[in-house]
């Protein structure tokens, strides 16, 4: 029991409105986590400008474990994650994506740290009507490409409403939030029980980085104009002399 009480989840509110629809959804998750004996902290990213990632690479080159730019709260949250066992990110839907603030925030937070491997993660979104699945998919990718177990729920992690009062009417959405909270608590306790029985995190394999760029031979000058029509009819019918080497 005492060990469970030591577990903590950081809940990141990526909305410009500290007490809006996103906060209402996150509060439902937080309440459920606390009922399960998990400590929580909701952190609002605020309304001040958040610098986007410049791709300068100084964080990795110097092995800082944080962003080299420290004028906003990104490094504050990175420090908090050292003491937390999981992360939940919430965002409103802006143009079928996550908010600009939380996108810039997470880009720098994950790039500079390399993610928070084997700490469960989940995202929730709030919207008036649509665009929610695309925004949710965007946020989930931060976890999925950084070895963070993705916590499921009973449906997509989203609520609908234009005000917190309207979100109250989304009974299914709030049920999904509570289910997410219970599943997060269950996953944390399962990981803790596994560690107690000697089950360690998977051994990391060295990364192999590849891309799909190859050097192509220069195009030879042709005496006369080619007929490209076969390319638009059927690949199998293309004159083999016109095909590039594999």
């Amino acid at each position: 029991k005492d060990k469970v009480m030591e577990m903590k989840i950081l809940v990141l509110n990526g909305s410009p409105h500290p007490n809006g629809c996103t906060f209402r959804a996150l509060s439902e998750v937080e309440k459920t986590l606390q009922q399960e004996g998990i400590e929580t902290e909701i952190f609002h990213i605020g309304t001040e400008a958040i610098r986007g990632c410049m791709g300068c690479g100084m964080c990795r080159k110097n092995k800082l474990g944080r962003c080299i730019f420290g004028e906003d709260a990104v490094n504050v949250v990175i420090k908090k994650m050292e003491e937390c066992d999981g992360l939940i990110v919430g965002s409103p839907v802006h143009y079928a994506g996550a908010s600009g603030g939380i996108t810039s925030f997470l880009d720098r937070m994950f790039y500079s740290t390399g993610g928070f491997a084997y700490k469960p993660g989940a995202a929730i979104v709030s919207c008036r009507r649509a665009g929610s699945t695309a925004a949710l998919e965007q946020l989930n990718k931060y976890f999925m490409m950084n070895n963070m177990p993705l916590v499921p729920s009973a449906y997509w992690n989203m609520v609908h409403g234009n005000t917190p009062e309207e979100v109250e009417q989304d009974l299914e959405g709030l049920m999904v939030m509570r289910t997410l909270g219970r599943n997060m608590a269950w996953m944390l306790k399962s990981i803790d029980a596994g560690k107690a029985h000697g089950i360690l995190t998977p051994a990391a394999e060295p990364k192999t980085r590849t891309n799909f760029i190859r050097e192509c031979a220069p195009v030879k000058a042709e005496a006369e104009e080619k007929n490209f029509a076969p390319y638009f009819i059927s690949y199998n019918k293309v004159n083999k002399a016109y095909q590039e080497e594999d």
Side-chain angles (χ1 to χ4, degrees):
K1 181 70 174 178
D2 291 336
K3 290 197 68 178
V4 172
M5 290 299 293
E6 293 175 359
M7 295 180 183
K8 183 176 181 179
I9 294 294
L10 184 63
V11 183
L12 199 56
N13 181 0
S15 171
H17 307 292
N19 298 298
C21 299
T22 301
F23 175 77
R24 177 63 191 89
L26 291 172
S27 295
E28 198 73 10
V29 183
E30 180 188 44
K31 178 179 67 176
T32 306
L33 283 167
Q34 291 175 349
Q35 290 172 349
E36 293 288 332
I38 307 297
E39 183 183 351
T40 61
E41 178 184 351
I42 292 185
F43 186 95
H44 182 226
I45 66 171
T47 56
E48 298 296 324
I50 298 173
R51 179 193 292 268
C53 181
M54 296 174 58
C56 67
M58 296 304 291
C59 55
R60 294 190 176 185
K61 180 180 178 180
N62 295 299
K63 299 180 180 179
L64 300 176
R66 56 180 173 80
C67 184
I68 195 170
F69 297 105
E71 69 270 29
D72 50 38
V74 170
N75 289 334
V76 175
V77 170
I78 289 173
K79 184 67 176 177
K80 287 179 179 293
M81 278 303 298
E82 294 178 3
E83 302 174 355
C84 290
D85 302 285
L87 175 66
I88 296 175
V89 177
S91 173
V93 174
H94 292 171
Y95 292 96
S99 72
I102 195 63
T103 299
S104 295
F105 200 102
L106 295 177
D107 281 354
R108 288 169 49 219
M109 176 177 167
F110 275 83
Y111 186 79
S112 62
T113 61
F116 310 96
Y118 307 112
K119 294 187 177 185
I124 70 97
V125 296
S126 66
C127 70
R128 180 189 66 84
R129 183 173 177 83
S132 49
T133 53
L136 184 62
E137 180 182 3
Q138 174 192 338
L139 292 173
N140 281 339
K141 288 173 181 174
Y142 290 99
F143 310 124
M144 295 176 68
M145 66 181 292
N146 286 289
N147 288 309
M148 296 179 68
L150 193 61
V151 183
S153 189
Y155 202 67
W156 308 121
N157 301 339
M158 60 187 66
V159 295
H160 290 78
N162 207 36
T163 65
E165 291 73 27
E166 289 182 359
V167 172
E168 293 287 349
Q169 300 176 51
D170 185 3
L171 300 182
E172 182 177 5
L174 293 177
M175 177 273 293
V176 170
M177 296 301 114
R178 293 190 294 272
T179 303
L180 176 63
R182 285 190 291 270
N183 288 349
M184 172 66 88
W186 171 78
M187 189 174 289
L188 288 175
K189 295 172 185 178
S190 297
I191 292 173
D192 189 60
K195 289 179 180 178
H197 287 79
I199 301 176
L200 305 178
T201 54
E205 181 177 340
K207 284 189 175 182
T208 302
R209 296 173 60 86
T210 59
N211 57 31
F212 303 102
I213 306 301
R214 63 184 177 88
E215 184 177 357
C216 298
V219 179
K220 295 180 180 179
E222 296 291 337
E224 59 183 46
E225 187 176 350
K226 283 185 178 181
N227 176 19
F228 288 95
Y231 283 97
F232 304 102
I233 299 172
S234 170
Y235 179 83
N236 294 327
K237 295 180 181 179
V238 172
N239 187 326
K240 299 298 181 182
Y242 292 166
Q243 291 187 20
E244 296 181 355
E245 291 182 0
D246 291 335

